Amino acid sequence: MQFKSDKIVPLLILLPSLVLIGIFVYGFIGQTVYVSLTDWGQGAALAENPEINLIGFKNFGDLFSGFLNSRFRQDLVNAVFYTLFLVSGALGIGLILAILLDRGPKGESVFRTIFLYPMSLSFIVTGTIWRWLLAPRGGINRLPTMIGLPAIGFRWLNSRQSILNFNWQNLPQITAIVVGAVFLYIAYRQWRSRSKKKALLSLVPTGLLLLWALWGARFTPAILPTPEQHGFNLATIGIIITAIWQYSGYTMALYLAGLRGISEDLREAARLDGANQFQYYLNVAIPILKPMTMSAIIILAHISLKMFALIFAMTGPDNAETSHPAVLMYLTTFRANNFAKGAAIAVVLFLMVAVFIVPYLVSAYRERRA
Amino acid sequence: MLNRKTIVLAAISILVVGLLGTSLSVAASSHMDDLSGELEIFSWWAGNEGPALEALIDLYEEKYPDVDVINATVTGGSGVNAKAVLKTRMLGGNPPDSFQVHAGQELIGTWVTADRMEDLTWLYNEQGWMDVFPDELIDLISTEEGIWSVPITIHRSNIMWYMPDNLEEWGVEVPNSWDEFLEVAPKLEEMGVTPLALGTNWTVNHLWESVALDVLGPDKWSALWEGELAFDSEEGIAVWEKLDEIMEYVNDDYSSLSWQQATDLVVEGDAAFNVMGDWAAGYMSTVLELEPKEEFGWAASPGTDGVFMLLSDSFGLPKGAPHRENTIAFLKLLGSKEGSDTFNPLKGSISPRLDSDLSKYNVYSQSAAEDFSSDRLVGSLAHGAVANEGFMNDFAQVMEIFLNSRDPERAATAAQAIAKQNGIQ
């Protein structure tokens, strides 16, 4: 009896939340995936019993290679750059701030509060404030005039310039080269760990991918009928700055806790071995901070995929230059009534988040078992 | 114990009174004055449009004191957030008693096609509205199956604003066509004046429709929406080409300015003209306290004199509205002369009724009302009259393609493609 209730009681306690999460999280993820495979959104989309047909992966195909969906593709490119810059910017600035505070300057707690404070604001509030600061005729652009210099003319939020352009038609080749490079790296690692057979095996896909990308691709049909340039839009810089401003305090707090957790003995030992401050941080402290970096990357990366509110507050729904798949999903679903395509965009976003979260969960699970 | 007893008693008495109330209202449904219960009105009228709605609700409550009016407002310009909330409510089977919707395809293409509205033809006949609203307006809110909403406001989209004193100083006349504008524009630019003030993205769509109305004329404009004229036809491309020329003479920071800030450019003398709907008159006279006609002037946007491009807010009766009788009373008030003339002077719009009491309106509205009764009426694209929501949303993306590439032919091709996709052609 004792044994049984041991299992039953926890199960009973967990059951309500399992059921609720099953319905409201996984059930609706399933529902969204289903909708993304239909044509819901034609004609009477909002009828009580709308006519919905399964059409397979057509919505996804349209998004990635349809003539009219160039905004989705630019949004996807934007999302990649938002993630890249938010993660690297917030990690870098957070680390520098943490190291400065770690050295115990006067008024440390005041600075800590000041740096951490932006995180407690909502994206709507920061977005509104920074929209004013970055306005073309005011705020930051007017600062130099206070000391008699000409005003800055840069359009933080509405520049139409873009750099690092590439042709979307070349995307399959670019992907093939990147994946090939990853296999090459794996082969190199295996070679180093003296499993030459495995290394040679890994070289096969590398060779095939590179061969296709450099030579074979010209025989496969293009994914778009016409060339289409996408790149890093300079108008996103304003939004990136705002996001970094808001979240570097958070990484600072994470790193500072990590730095404070390093025992004084270790620092003493490093000093005895002749390491100066710089060497101590580079060779001793930062490697110890690796778990913090990992969790910060996960958190920041998924925040960067949820920047909807910040973008909506700063540049509004129709400014495609700074847009994000999440904004497009909202417009496609609720303004254009195209529920199926909106769901397809949501699924793409979901997969992007999964790319960050799943490896983290797997490694965390493994660590706990070990 | 005592406490619980009182609660139970109270609950029972509320139930009894409630039952009596409903049975009474059923019995007395012919006497509208005895209406009771609730009435939930869903709109995006907040901020400086709020007082107009409040005044209308006050009038309703005066007539039907037993009805509890719930003013459900979701803020956000031209209803961007309200429409999303409304759609989730309708899909969830929880419609409000009545909701604000732009007359035209925003109503027909979204809600009537989905069979969510009740036909109001009987109400139009009963109230004699067939004769007081202009035919073109009734056409906008009708299909062959019926009439689907009651219009409450009229705004005009194709207006060009300017400061008469500034124009005199610069020696510039109000252009009568976009070609005339393009002639004076270089002259203005030489003087350091931006010829045309422009704001955020939707105001470019707004400019597009005024340009199109000049290039195409009202007949072909209507043909465009009936699928008789292709967007990528010669005329269709000509609209984009004209817009391309005009875009050379706008302020280069337009995409980060609100429409009010674009109007400010004209008021402050940094820019000469601005094309905007007539809510700009309300902004200039109420917020900036400028005297209409004396301090700010207006004309139909170049080449569109004699044509009134309209947009209109309307309210309908959704199927399954929880308080149908109360809603019908509300719709009657909306369509009445009294309701219309209470609401519109405060909102800064004009009445859709041709017999409204003009003495209650300001100088601008009086002139607009005069044009409304004599001009040819056509519907606006940027404000939901002529095209369904799918097309409107996609058109914003076509505009982005144009602004990035500045390629008229490419934009026209894309416009044709989205017209096809959204069932216009």
Side-chain angles (χ1 to χ4, degrees):
Chain A
M1 277 312 276
Q2 186 64 34
F3 173 75
K4 252 188 175 174
S5 75
D6 245 19
K7 290 234 161 174
I8 288 174
V9 171
L11 190 72
L12 279 179
I13 292 173
L14 282 178
L15 199 64
S17 63
L18 283 180
V19 169
L20 289 178
I21 290 176
I23 295 172
F24 289 107
V25 177
Y26 296 97
F28 282 112
I29 289 175
Q31 164 102 355
T32 306
V33 173
Y34 166 73
V35 170
S36 76
L37 300 175
T38 68
D39 65 350
W40 187 18
Q42 304 306 311
L46 284 151
E48 218 153 319
N49 292 306
E51 198 193 315
I52 299 177
N53 306 304
L54 271 174
I55 53 166
F57 289 93
K58 187 170 172 297
N59 288 318
F60 294 92
D62 270 358
L63 285 176
F64 283 95
S65 61
F67 162 61
L68 284 171
N69 290 293
S70 68
R71 172 159 174 187
F72 169 76
R73 297 187 280 272
Q74 180 58 47
D75 286 1
L76 212 55
V77 174
N78 283 352
V80 170
F81 282 113
Y82 279 134
T83 310
L84 221 60
F85 285 107
L86 173 60
V87 171
S88 55
L91 283 182
I93 292 177
L95 183 64
I96 292 170
L97 291 177
I99 289 175
L100 289 178
L101 288 186
D102 183 44
R103 323 235 356 227
K106 233 184 199 171
E108 186 209 315
S109 60
V110 175
F111 282 117
R112 215 169 42 206
T113 317
I114 290 176
F115 292 143
L116 198 55
Y117 183 67
M119 206 186 101
S120 68
L121 300 174
S122 79
F123 262 151
I124 292 287
V125 177
T126 19
T128 310
I129 295 169
W130 278 87
R131 192 184 68 215
W132 293 333
L133 288 176
L134 297 173
R137 291 162 195 237
I140 286 177
N141 279 357
R142 290 272 291 279
L143 272 185
T145 60
M146 290 178 131
I147 51 167
L149 294 171
I152 306 171
F154 187 67
R155 305 261 179 262
W156 297 98
L157 296 172
N158 56 333
S159 161
R160 286 200 174 272
Q161 268 172 297
S162 81
I163 53 171
L164 302 175
N165 285 314
F166 68 97
N167 184 350
W168 188 264
Q169 287 176 314
N170 295 333
L171 191 75
Q173 285 99 307
I174 297 172
T175 320
I177 290 173
V178 170
V179 176
V182 170
F183 274 113
L184 196 65
Y185 176 72
I186 293 173
Y188 170 74
R189 285 273 296 260
Q190 285 162 339
W191 188 269
R192 287 279 301 263
S193 63
R194 295 171 203 286
S195 47
K196 297 195 175 161
K197 230 186 220 166
K198 274 189 187 169
L200 284 177
L201 215 62
S202 306
L203 273 178
V204 174
T206 316
L208 284 177
L209 282 166
L210 292 182
L211 189 71
W212 179 79
L214 300 176
W215 179 75
R218 67 193 63 177
F219 302 114
T220 39
I223 57 169
L224 271 183
T226 52
E228 191 179 279
Q229 296 293 319
H230 292 291
F232 174 56
N233 285 338
L234 296 189
T236 55
I237 290 178
I239 290 173
I240 290 170
I241 291 175
T242 311
I244 292 176
W245 176 81
Q246 179 150 22
Y247 278 99
S248 38
Y250 163 72
T251 46
M252 177 211 72
L254 269 185
Y255 278 141
L256 193 57
L259 287 172
R260 290 284 153 82
I262 300 173
S263 77
E264 201 54 33
D265 300 351
L266 216 54
R267 190 187 287 238
E268 284 300 318
R271 203 169 292 160
L272 280 180
D273 283 344
N276 59 25
Q277 288 288 342
F278 181 71
Q279 284 168 323
Y280 161 70
Y281 282 114
L282 191 69
N283 297 323
V284 179
I286 292 180
I288 292 178
L289 294 178
K290 200 179 154 200
M292 278 98 203
T293 311
M294 278 307 293
S295 46
I297 289 178
I298 303 299
I299 304 264
L300 291 171
H302 97 272
I303 284 171
S304 78
L305 293 170
K306 300 199 294 193
M307 297 226 301
F308 177 88
L310 186 65
I311 296 166
F312 209 80
M314 289 186 79
T315 53
D318 280 323
N319 223 325
E321 294 289 301
T322 56
S323 182
H324 188 281
V327 177
L328 188 66
M329 174 187 76
Y330 176 75
L331 295 180
T332 312
T333 312
F334 290 113
R335 200 167 70 175
N337 301 337
N338 201 335
F339 297 98
K341 197 177 272 176
I345 299 173
V347 170
V348 173
L349 267 176
F350 174 71
L351 292 177
M352 284 168 74
V353 178
V355 164
F356 288 102
I357 301 283
V358 170
Y360 174 74
L361 290 180
V362 168
S363 79
Y365 182 68
R366 270 194 198 148
E367 257 169 44
R368 212 171 303 155
R369 292 199 31 157
Chain B
M1 275 313 268
L2 194 85
N3 236 343
R4 188 176 290 174
K5 237 181 205 168
T6 25
I7 291 171
V8 169
L9 268 178
I12 290 174
S13 53
I14 288 171
L15 261 177
V16 170
V17 171
L19 281 175
L20 276 176
T22 39
S23 54
L24 273 178
S25 77
V26 168
S29 61
S30 52
H31 298 285
M32 282 304 189
D33 304 30
D34 298 334
L35 291 174
S36 66
E38 290 177 342
L39 171 70
E40 187 186 13
I41 304 164
F42 187 92
S43 77
W44 58 84
W45 281 327
N48 53 5
E49 290 162 334
L53 182 60
E54 288 295 331
L56 195 66
I57 290 174
D58 286 347
L59 192 64
Y60 184 87
E61 283 179 334
E62 214 174 275
K63 285 184 193 283
Y64 311 102
D66 296 334
V67 178
D68 187 12
V69 181
I70 301 168
N71 181 3
T73 310
V74 178
T75 58
S78 64
V80 64
N81 306 322
K83 287 175 204 165
V85 175
L86 178 66
K87 280 167 197 168
T88 52
R89 283 189 60 171
M90 295 290 268
L91 282 175
N94 176 28
D97 290 316
S98 187
F99 59 85
Q100 176 184 6
V101 61
H102 282 140
Q105 281 301 315
E106 205 176 290
L107 165 76
I108 308 282
T110 302
W111 299 116
V112 177
T113 325
D115 196 24
R116 293 279 188 170
M117 307 302 288
E118 278 194 39
D119 178 14
L120 296 172
T121 312
W122 64 273
L123 191 65
Y124 272 69
N125 289 329
E126 183 193 299
Q127 302 287 316
W129 287 340
M130 291 304 218
D131 306 320
V132 292
F133 295 132
D135 292 342
E136 290 109 319
L137 181 61
I138 295 183
D139 282 349
L140 264 187
I141 49 179
S142 311
T143 60
E144 273 168 20
E145 283 78 38
I147 308 175
W148 306 99
S149 72
V150 180
I152 170 79
T153 69
I154 294 290
H155 276 295
R156 186 176 189 177
S157 147
N158 60 325
I159 302 264
M160 185 178 238
W161 306 93
Y162 54 89
M163 310 296 278
D165 291 348
N166 286 348
L167 291 198
E168 204 170 304
E169 195 188 314
W170 298 323
V172 173
E173 298 272 311
V174 181
N176 284 320
S177 69
W178 283 108
D179 288 327
E180 269 185 53
F181 168 83
L182 291 169
E183 275 167 35
V184 296
K187 206 169 115 192
L188 285 163
E189 218 158 47
E190 258 170 50
M191 287 186 276
V193 178
T194 307
L196 189 69
L198 197 59
T200 182
N201 308 49
W202 70 263
T203 70
V204 190
N205 297 347
H206 189 107
L207 175 65
W208 185 89
E209 67 182 19
S210 275
V211 174
L213 192 57
D214 175 32
V215 174
L216 301 173
D219 288 330
K220 283 184 179 165
W221 170 259
S222 304
L224 208 53
W225 305 111
E226 276 147 29
E228 288 155 11
L229 178 69
F231 285 81
D232 57 355
S233 61
E234 226 167 272
E235 293 104 321
I237 297 173
V239 176
W240 293 99
E241 281 168 348
K242 188 68 73 194
L243 184 67
D244 187 44
E245 289 176 56
I246 296 165
M247 289 298 289
E248 292 299 317
Y249 298 106
V250 303
N251 44 313
D252 65 350
D253 60 350
Y254 63 87
S255 63
S256 62
L257 301 187
S258 64
W259 69 265
Q260 290 98 329
Q261 286 170 314
T263 310
D264 288 343
L265 289 180
V266 175
V267 172
E268 283 157 14
D270 292 332
F273 301 105
N274 176 227
V275 173
M276 187 35 62
D278 55 11
W279 42 93
Y283 173 67
M284 284 189 275
S285 58
T286 319
V287 181
L288 303 180
E289 296 179 342
L290 298 174
E291 203 56 50
K293 244 177 190 165
E294 310 285 314
E295 287 178 287
F296 72 88
W298 63 87
S301 68
T304 64
D305 205 20
V307 186
F308 193 106
M309 187 179 261
L310 69 84
L311 54 132
S312 167
D313 292 297
S314 70
F315 283 82
L317 178 57
K319 282 188 177 166
H323 310 93
R324 191 168 175 274
E325 294 301 318
N326 295 353
T327 311
I328 290 168
F330 178 68
L331 294 178
K332 281 182 186 167
L333 181 68
L334 281 185
S336 72
K337 193 169 160 179
E338 187 187 9
S340 196
D341 286 346
T342 304
F343 182 85
N344 284 304
L346 289 171
K347 160 104 163 70
S349 45
I350 60 172
S351 167
R353 292 176 67 107
L354 294 170
D355 61 350
S356 71
D357 179 6
L358 286 182
S359 66
K360 291 186 175 172
Y361 291 80
N362 64 25
V363 180
Y364 168 75
S365 297
Q366 286 171 359
S367 105
E370 205 169 287
D371 290 344
F372 179 65
S373 57
S374 59
D375 281 3
R376 165 115 189 236
L377 306 180
V378 296
S380 146
L381 162 68
H383 306 281
V386 287
N388 59 35
E389 291 187 301
F391 183 89
M392 280 169 68
N393 180 65
D394 294 349
F395 191 78
Q397 304 191 21
V398 172
M399 188 54 83
E400 268 301 321
I401 293 178
F402 172 74
L403 292 175
N404 275 330
S405 67
R406 292 295 285 276
D407 180 344
E409 244 169 85
R410 193 163 165 211
T413 316
Q416 178 65 17
I418 64 164
K420 208 169 168 190
Q421 191 171 304
N422 290 291
I424 289 177
Q425 306 257 330

